[in-house]
Amino acid sequence: MLIRDATVADWPAIWPFFHQIVAAGETFPYPLDLDEEQGRGMWLVPAPGRTVVAVDDAGVVLGTANMYANRQGNGAHVASASYMVDPAHRGRGVGRALCADSLEWARAVGFRTMVFNAVVETNVHAVRLYESLGFTVLGTVPEGFRHPDNGYVGLHMMHRAL
């Protein structure tokens, strides 16, 4: 698997699974009815942020991540990131590779810490992955996310020093 910077030309490969994940409403606090243009605008972050894709040997996009400063100004030393793995390629270490890449990037460009503002507590695979990479739950907003099957569930803020 290769992780490389994403280009606009990668968007047609990202959009189908991006749309599927967002429309399911289980893991991202994005509007469920995002159209393709809105999704592209949200996901393909401008520099100095970064968007990447994980591709296999044949160039098939397996997943994607974006990373950026969590805040501006005096909070700009804190990084954040989001990850999406094509459901057809889950269980192959794509999410772990994307997260590890974002941590390396954040360290290399001078961030001091990384925070995830909104990790849905029922997304147990993501929570376990982040914890295995050194993140801890700082707190949970009770009923901070309206899950389509589980109703109102907690929304974790997770943190890791770099």
Side-chain angles (χ1 to χ4, degrees):
M1 173 182 349
L2 169 71
I3 297 176
R4 62 167 174 76
D5 288 337
T7 67
V8 173
D10 292 312
W11 183 250
I14 296 169
W15 170 246
F17 67 87
F18 177 98
H19 182 258
Q20 177 184 356
I21 291 166
V22 170
E26 297 174 349
T27 56
F28 279 84
Y30 294 168
L32 302 181
D33 61 350
L34 273 180
D35 67 30
E36 187 171 0
E37 184 178 331
Q38 293 167 321
R40 184 176 54 243
M42 289 176 68
W43 197 257
L44 299 179
V45 298
R50 179 176 179 232
T51 304
V52 298
V53 289
V55 298
D56 66 12
D57 292 341
V60 173
V61 174
L62 309 172
T64 182
N66 63 18
M67 51 211 86
Y68 41 84
N70 190 52
R71 296 285 181 254
Q72 299 176 3
N74 289 345
H77 59 284
V78 178
S80 192
S82 296
Y83 314 96
M84 287 196 187
V85 175
D86 184 335
H89 301 291
R90 285 189 184 141
R92 297 174 49 186
V94 177
R96 177 174 294 278
L98 288 166
C99 191
D101 178 78
S102 69
L103 289 167
E104 289 173 24
W105 171 82
R107 269 190 225 98
V109 299
F111 287 102
R112 297 177 49 87
T113 188
M114 185 174 275
V115 66
F116 302 142
N117 299 308
V119 181
V120 179
E121 71 181 353
T122 55
N123 189 356
V124 294
H125 297 294
V127 173
R128 267 185 276 178
L129 169 64
Y130 303 152
E131 288 176 335
S132 77
L133 291 169
F135 286 85
T136 59
V137 175
L138 292 179
T140 304
V141 177
E143 298 187 352
F145 185 84
R146 188 169 35 97
H147 192 281
D149 297 324
N150 300 320
Y152 290 97
V153 299
L155 201 57
H156 295 320
M157 176 178 256
M158 299 187 75
H159 167 266
R160 181 201 152 136
L162 298 173

